[in-house]
């Protein structure tokens, strides 16, 4: 069995941010507009801190106006909503992202739906979900993680997925559901599997495309996977790993990379696969929002 191709999300993301950086410079030179991204983080969740820092750094490296609002874990809901309303009416801000998960006392629905749909670079507003589900993808902000997965899939297979079976494992609003909509829009035959699915290995065995987004370390094994399949690993799990002969905390995906790599056609690694692509798509959405606000083509 030949080894699968390792899809280099990090390199692909770097290419994307390079072209976003160039377009940002042109937008500023020709129209005097700088894309503005506001990231709101509430509390001290360590993983969220890392994600937000990466988002801010990438935004700065693209030449964006980048602001971060760090609120205490006990921030009051009216104060969070007031901040969002202030950002909604700030002309220097084109994208607003409230990092999830939120502390338990806050209403995630109320907060994500308070973001103006035209600044919703996460694609979590019902208006954007509705457009995506209705197939109006070109007119919607598409959630960043599934958008990044889709780019990698289409780089491997082509834009038209007619005749391909795709299995999405996980039915979250952030990844699973929008991923299924995107695959369907590209003409794939889509199955959404989840924790109540019977015979998950049997379902995955029929898939030309597998997207794993469940949060279970190394769950997808080689004997589940159809030879030649494209396997996209969205999982980011913190586990104890042997690194240089020592037990350390490391990251692993939902796919057993080395095992699946003996059967699949192409696999994304963790880290260095979906993660960097997600950040690039956030930059792409923010640039797009700035262009639209200026009356330019997306
Ligand atoms: N937490 C984990 N993933 C995401 C994401 O894509 N957007 C936001 N806002 N929070 C997240």
């Amino acid at each position: 069995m030949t080894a699968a191709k390792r899809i280099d999300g990090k390199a692909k993301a770097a290419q994307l941010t390079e072209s976003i950086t160039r377009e940002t410079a042109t937008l500023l030179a020709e129209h005097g507009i700088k894309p503005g991204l506001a990231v709101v983080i509430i509390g001290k969740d360590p993983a969220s801190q890392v994600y937000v820092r990466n988002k801010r750094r990438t935004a700065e490296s693209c030449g964006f106006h980048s602001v971060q609002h760090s609120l205490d874990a006990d921030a009051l809901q009216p104060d969070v909503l007031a901040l969002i309303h202030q950002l909604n009416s700030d002309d220097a801000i084109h994208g607003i992202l409230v990092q999830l998960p939120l502390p338990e006392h806050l209403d995630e629905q109320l907060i994500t739906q308070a973001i103006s749909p035209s600044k919703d670079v996460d694609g979590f507003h019902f208006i954007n979900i509705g457009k995506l589900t209705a197939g109006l993808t070109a007119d919607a902000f598409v959630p960043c993680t599934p958008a990044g997965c889709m780019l990698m899939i289409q780089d491997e297979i082509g834009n038209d997925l007619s005749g391909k079976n795709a299995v999405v494992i996980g039915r979250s609003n952030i990844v699973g559901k929008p991923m299924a909509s995107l695959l369907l829009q590209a003409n794939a035959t889509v199955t959404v599997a989840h924790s109540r699915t019977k015979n998950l290995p049997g379902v995955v065995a029929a898939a030309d495309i597998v997207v794993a987004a469940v949060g279970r370390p190394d769950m997808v094994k080689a004997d589940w996977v159809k030879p030649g399949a494209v396997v996209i690993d969205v999982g980011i799990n913190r586990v104890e790993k042997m690194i240089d002969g020592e037990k350390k905390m490391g990251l692993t995906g939902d796919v057993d990379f080395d095992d699946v790599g003996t059967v699949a056609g192409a696999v994304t690694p963790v880290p260095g696969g979906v993660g960097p692509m997600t950040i690039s798509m956030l930059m792409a959405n923010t640039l797009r929002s700035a262009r639209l606000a200026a009356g330019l083509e997306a």
Side-chain angles (χ1 to χ4, degrees):
M1 195 77 70
T2 54
K5 173 183 167 189
R6 175 186 182 276
I7 300 175
D8 190 343
K10 200 172 163 187
K12 243 183 243 296
Q15 276 175 9
L16 273 167
T17 51
E18 211 176 285
S19 82
I20 291 166
T21 305
R22 276 197 304 273
E23 285 183 44
T24 300
T26 307
L27 187 64
L28 184 61
E30 292 181 359
H31 301 277
I33 295 158
K34 202 178 227 207
L37 175 65
V39 176
V40 179
I41 178 163
I42 307 169
K44 292 268 179 278
D45 178 67
S48 291
Q49 300 279 341
V50 174
Y51 299 149
V52 164
R53 190 190 327 131
N54 289 338
K55 288 170 186 176
R56 198 186 62 220
R57 281 186 184 161
T58 310
E60 283 164 4
S61 83
C62 287
F64 288 7
H65 168 57
S66 170
V67 293
Q68 180 174 331
H69 293 269
S70 303
L71 276 56
D72 291 336
D74 59 358
L76 298 176
Q77 181 135 307
D79 294 336
V80 179
L81 292 173
L83 172 61
I84 291 171
H85 292 141
Q86 178 209 314
L87 294 168
N88 280 342
S89 55
D90 184 343
D91 290 340
I93 296 299
H94 305 99
I96 304 168
L97 178 147
V98 177
Q99 186 67 25
L100 303 178
L102 294 172
E104 258 186 35
H105 69 284
L106 296 173
D107 184 338
E108 181 180 308
Q109 195 90 293
L110 208 62
I111 288 170
T112 52
Q113 301 309 309
I115 296 171
S116 163
S118 66
K119 297 189 178 187
D120 170 36
V121 286
D122 253 331
F124 295 166
H125 195 283
F126 294 153
I127 293 269
N128 287 310
I129 296 172
K131 284 179 179 172
L132 172 59
T133 311
L136 305 173
T137 317
D139 195 33
F141 283 113
V142 175
C144 303
T145 300
C149 294
M150 202 58 193
L151 270 189
M152 293 193 283
I153 292 166
Q154 289 179 319
D155 272 357
E156 295 306 315
I157 302 180
N159 287 343
D160 186 4
L161 306 179
S162 294
K164 301 292 182 191
N165 290 324
V167 172
V168 180
I169 315 174
R171 54 174 158 177
S172 70
N173 291 329
I174 297 187
V175 184
K177 288 177 196 165
M179 189 73 240
S181 296
L182 286 173
L183 288 162
L184 194 57
Q185 182 69 11
N187 302 317
T189 303
V190 183
T191 303
V192 182
H194 47 78
S195 55
R196 307 289 177 93
T197 296
K198 218 163 143 179
N199 186 18
L200 182 58
V203 172
V204 172
D208 305 293
I209 300 159
V210 182
V211 180
V214 276
R216 283 176 166 242
D218 299 333
M219 181 184 73
V220 178
K221 301 292 183 190
D223 59 3
W224 297 24
V225 172
K226 181 174 169 177
V230 173
V231 181
I232 307 291
D233 190 351
V234 181
I236 302 178
N237 308 292
R238 259 165 214 288
V239 292
E240 259 191 2
K241 267 185 168 178
M242 290 305 284
I243 301 172
D244 303 328
E246 264 184 80
K247 257 195 198 168
K248 288 186 184 165
M249 292 309 281
L251 294 183
T252 196
D254 293 345
V255 175
D256 188 334
F257 182 84
D258 292 333
D259 192 32
V260 167
T262 62
V263 175
V267 196
T268 64
V270 176
V274 172
M277 288 295 287
T278 296
I279 296 182
S280 289
M281 298 320 292
L282 176 65
M283 303 305 135
N285 279 350
T286 307
L287 174 61
R288 172 197 153 90
S289 179
R291 291 185 58 86
L292 288 172
L296 300 167
E297 265 179 44

